[in-house]
Amino acid sequence: SIVKSNGKLFVGTYGGGIKVLDISDQLNPVLSSTIPFPQDVTDLEVYQNYVYALSQRRGQINLSENVIRTIDASSNSYSFTEVSFYGSNNKLKIAGNKLFTSGPMVTIAELSLANPSAPEFLGEIDTGLYSSDMAVRGNMLYIPHPFEIKGYDLNSIINHPFGGSGLAFQNSQELFRESIGSLDQEIAGNYIYVLNEPDTVLVSDLSHLDKVLWTLKDYGVSLSIVGNRMVTAGGAAGLAIYDIGSDGWPNFVGNIDT
């Protein structure tokens, strides 16, 4: 995962910590430092001047434990604080002043960023189905499940109906059902782009979420949108570049061999 903050790129790695690159000259990024991490970095997010790094470690009685470390990106010392809770989540997403994590579980975790330097764990949200990734637009949180994608209104979080400290969504909106094994997803303009297994990108209009507008053949394993360009990575051809334009349709531009 890669995020940008304070004129730097923070690159999460498996086994190599977080690489910090100076991008004052964007055509010639320079590795300025490495932040050591005891575990693999599975995802990164940025909010204000802080970078949040998600990883896992073994907790008590051999259960997986999520660890979110907070890094002050405006500093050069890169000391961090951490918050931990049980689970095996591997994705981070920020909506408003909340940080959400998802993974191969039926719940996602919710953390408050009221104090950005020290996220506070609020509880878990029961989505009822396994989730792998999230996308955010305004107060809507979109989560792919094994056979569908659902949109949830963040204003409608209620107390868990079965008691305890968990939370649950109310009035969820069902989306198209063609998404079987979502790998990644992004929102741009009025459209949501879902990188799906096997080897497809699904496109739907956010105002008409009951159907897929287009299905595109693609062999990537991750998807990002920068401006009017959609980039998929991980296929045999390296990076695949698409122009999504004003109508949302991804027009293939070319490949970058990595």
Side-chain angles (χ1 to χ4, degrees):
S1 180
I2 302 174
V3 296
K4 177 183 176 182
S5 181
N6 286 267
K8 309 164 191 172
L9 283 183
F10 293 80
V11 183
T13 69
Y14 281 10
I18 295 178
K19 306 295 182 182
V20 184
L21 288 81
D22 184 337
I23 55 170
S24 51
D25 181 353
Q26 296 193 12
L27 295 179
N28 297 285
V30 176
L31 179 64
S32 59
S33 61
T34 298
I35 306 174
F37 261 59
Q39 298 94 23
D40 296 338
V41 179
T42 57
D43 205 8
L44 297 171
E45 266 283 18
V46 62
Y47 180 74
Q48 297 183 4
N49 290 322
Y50 296 94
V51 173
Y52 303 98
L54 176 64
S55 58
Q56 285 80 39
R57 67 186 175 200
R58 286 296 178 190
Q60 297 179 356
I61 61 175
N62 209 33
L63 293 176
S64 292
E65 187 176 50
N66 294 301
V67 183
I68 297 177
R69 294 179 172 88
T70 304
I71 303 161
D72 186 349
S74 64
S75 169
N76 290 321
S77 62
Y78 302 125
S79 59
F80 50 76
T81 60
E82 70 174 52
V83 59
S84 61
F85 48 94
Y86 285 114
S88 57
N89 296 351
N90 51 26
K91 291 288 185 179
L92 291 174
K93 194 67 69 176
I94 288 174
N97 66 345
K98 299 286 184 64
L99 180 64
F100 296 91
T101 75
S102 68
M105 304 176 69
V106 298
T107 58
I108 61 176
E110 179 188 20
L111 296 94
S112 170
L113 297 179
N115 177 5
S117 65
E120 178 188 0
F121 178 68
L122 297 178
E124 293 184 329
I125 299 171
D126 183 1
T127 65
L129 292 168
Y130 291 98
S131 58
S132 59
D133 196 11
M134 301 169 285
V136 175
R137 166 59 63 86
N139 289 320
M140 292 297 294
L141 185 67
Y142 300 96
I143 303 175
H145 298 298
F147 296 99
E148 61 188 340
I149 291 182
K150 284 189 175 182
Y152 300 92
D153 186 347
L154 293 174
N155 292 324
S156 66
I157 296 176
I158 60 174
N159 292 328
H160 196 291
F162 303 109
S165 59
L167 301 171
F169 278 117
Q170 189 181 40
N171 301 326
S172 65
Q173 180 179 4
E174 289 192 8
L175 310 187
F176 50 86
R177 292 179 173 271
E178 285 84 348
S179 184
I180 306 253
S182 175
L183 297 171
D184 210 349
Q185 62 178 332
E186 289 282 352
I187 292 175
N190 293 322
Y191 302 94
I192 183 169
Y193 300 82
V194 180
L195 184 62
N196 184 55
E197 293 180 317
D199 307 329
T200 55
V201 175
L202 307 176
V203 186
S204 183
D205 190 322
L206 289 174
S207 61
H208 301 283
L209 295 170
D210 56 338
K211 62 181 180 180
V212 173
L213 293 179
W214 304 295
T215 300
L216 176 74
K217 198 71 174 176
D218 187 271
Y219 299 95
V221 295
S222 65
L223 180 152
S224 297
I225 292 178
V226 181
N228 65 342
R229 291 289 193 266
M230 182 180 79
V231 182
T232 63
L239 302 180
I241 315 296
Y242 301 85
D243 184 346
I244 56 178
S246 59
D247 62 355
W249 165 248
N251 293 294
F252 180 70
V253 175
N255 294 103
I256 298 176
D257 187 356
T258 57

